[in-house]
Amino acid sequence: MSFPDFRPRRLRKSEAMRRLVQETQLHPSDFIYPLFVSDIIDHVEPIGSMPGINNFPLKVIAGEADRVFRLGIPAVLLFGTPSDKDETGSSSLKNDGIIQKAIQEIKSVNSDIVVVTDVCLCEYTNHGHCGIIKNNDVDNDATLEILAKQAVSHARAGADMVAPSDMMDGRVAAIREALDNEMFENTPVMAYSAKYCSAFYGPFREAVNSAPQFGDRKTYQMDPSNATEALKEISLDIDEGADIVMVKPALSYLDIIARAKAEFDVPIAAYNVSGEYSMVKLAARENLMDEKRLVLEILTSIKRAGADIIISYHAPDVANWLG
Ligand code: PBG
């Protein structure tokens, strides 16, 4: 059937009619909100590269997590700035490390919040790489051990889920085995499976001061040109025991999200990263576009592509707008 018998505009006639046929709807429970907690500040500090996003000292982090949870957002993702960085990122393993303390704070204020932790070394190493350096290169297998210990340490502090973002080969299996050995067999792993080497992380690196001091991340993060390789990375992570797999960034990789959703039977997460966020904020500040419409359109497109979970700095705004 075609025009004039078929007229698509019939179903766009009114607000109520459009609502009736709407295919994709955002909900606060789709979101994970990233939170930055720092051991080196004692007051809330705005992050210059990410308008509206703050770095929180330990004493107020639980209040912020609770505020977000009350908006209907079920989970937060923690990133930490430690007071000391070294070659191996050893401060990431301490029982009283910044993330471990933050988990305990949040859980003691509201135990219902799903507390997810970023498992990586770049925030804790003085060279800023996501693994241990040997012979001027990031050593894959030596890094696995410390990542596994970090994941266990987070679980022991009360984390509900760990999210390795380092992109070392075999890290999901190493983390899964270590968690199981320590009786954390019920702690899920959300793997940053298809994590691209992206310019969109720029504002984040300023926030946690984690830019690599030499070289770049191209030997471990993926080439933006590659799609088949993303599906391989995802399938490897699922084989190794990942409960949720992630595509990151989101907006330039909607094709990867769609293919992952079609091919795999675990929840697909998409990370709407710092650069995607800050572009919107700066455009809105210049009155180039309407912020609310822009954010809802972008996030709807990520969900429409197939993301079951969206990690976004816009999450509290969205929850407020959705009422
Ligand atoms: C750490 C990590 C990064 C992000 C999340 N975890 C930065 C990086 O890989 O350089 C980026 C998040 C964002 O840009 O919002 N490995």
Side-chain angles (χ1 to χ4, degrees):
M1 197 166 49
S2 57
F3 180 82
D5 302 311
F6 191 71
R7 291 177 179 268
R9 289 185 58 191
R10 286 177 193 141
L11 297 182
R12 295 178 204 143
K13 209 158 44 183
S14 67
E15 173 62 29
M17 185 72 88
R18 290 191 292 273
R19 242 186 319 132
L20 196 65
V21 297
Q22 192 165 62
E23 296 177 34
T24 305
Q25 272 153 344
L26 293 170
H27 194 270
S29 62
D30 298 328
F31 292 94
I32 298 178
Y33 185 55
L35 283 179
F36 298 99
V37 59
S38 171
D39 234 351
I40 57 179
I41 55 176
D42 54 16
H43 57 276
V44 178
E45 200 168 86
I47 296 171
S49 56
M50 302 174 68
I53 303 297
N54 298 306
N55 223 327
F56 294 96
L58 193 61
K59 62 183 181 218
V60 298
I61 193 68
E64 177 64 3
D66 189 52
R67 177 186 77 86
V68 167
F69 185 79
R70 285 171 194 281
L71 293 172
I73 296 162
V76 294
L77 172 60
L78 299 183
F79 294 99
T81 304
S83 52
D84 48 332
K85 303 192 181 208
D86 63 14
E87 271 303 301
T88 61
S90 62
S91 65
S92 71
L93 304 180
K94 295 193 303 195
N95 287 336
D96 63 347
I98 179 64
I99 291 297
Q100 289 81 353
K101 287 187 290 191
I103 298 164
Q104 285 159 0
E105 282 284 322
I106 294 170
K107 284 305 212 178
S108 72
V109 166
N110 183 340
S111 61
D112 292 333
I113 303 173
V114 176
V115 176
V116 190
T117 58
D118 187 72
V119 172
C120 196
L121 292 188
C122 62
E123 293 122 273
Y124 305 92
T125 51
N126 49 18
H127 45 74
H129 276 290
C130 303
I132 291 171
I133 305 293
K134 277 191 188 161
N135 304 324
N136 247 8
D137 188 25
V138 176
D139 188 277
N140 193 85
D141 298 11
T143 301
L144 298 184
E145 200 181 323
I146 191 157
L147 290 171
K149 281 189 187 148
Q150 192 186 121
V152 168
S153 168
H154 291 173
R156 199 170 282 138
D160 296 290
M161 180 150 71
V162 292
S165 68
D166 52 282
M167 285 299 276
M168 297 302 119
D169 296 332
R171 92 277 208 210
V172 173
I175 288 169
R176 182 72 270 153
E177 189 189 341
L179 288 172
D180 290 355
N181 285 342
E182 298 292 325
M183 315 241 272
F184 293 113
E185 66 275 357
N186 287 321
T187 302
V189 176
M190 176 169 72
Y192 288 70
S193 301
K195 179 176 179 182
Y196 287 88
C197 191
S198 171
F200 286 104
Y201 308 148
F204 173 95
R205 290 180 190 171
E206 187 184 319
V208 298
N209 186 22
S210 70
Q213 297 304 301
F214 66 90
D216 52 38
R217 302 206 201 290
K218 285 182 185 163
T219 68
Y220 42 105
Q221 297 181 349
M222 283 185 50
D223 184 336
S225 306
N226 297 356
T228 311
E229 186 188 349
L231 301 179
K232 180 63 179 174
E233 281 279 7
I234 292 170
S235 90
L236 286 169
D237 281 359
I238 293 173
D239 285 348
E240 289 180 26
D243 299 278
I244 298 172
V245 293
M246 192 198 301
V247 175
K248 177 186 173 191
L251 210 42
S252 292
Y253 302 90
L254 296 179
D255 56 329
I256 310 299
I257 295 171
R259 290 177 67 177
K261 181 64 183 170
E263 210 152 304
F264 301 106
D265 58 2
V266 298
I268 308 293
Y271 200 141
N272 173 224
V273 300
S274 58
E276 299 172 55
Y277 171 84
S278 294
M279 285 197 311
V280 168
K281 296 302 272 192
L282 295 190
R285 194 192 267 171
E286 294 292 315
N287 284 321
L288 296 176
M289 285 171 272
D290 179 82
E291 179 173 350
K292 179 177 171 183
R293 286 187 59 203
L294 190 55
V295 169
L296 293 175
E297 183 173 337
I298 287 172
L299 296 172
T300 299
S301 76
I302 295 169
K303 184 167 181 178
R304 191 194 63 230
D308 301 292
I309 297 166
I310 303 173
I311 302 160
S312 178
Y313 304 97
H314 297 292
D317 285 343
V318 175
N320 278 320
W321 292 331
L322 296 175

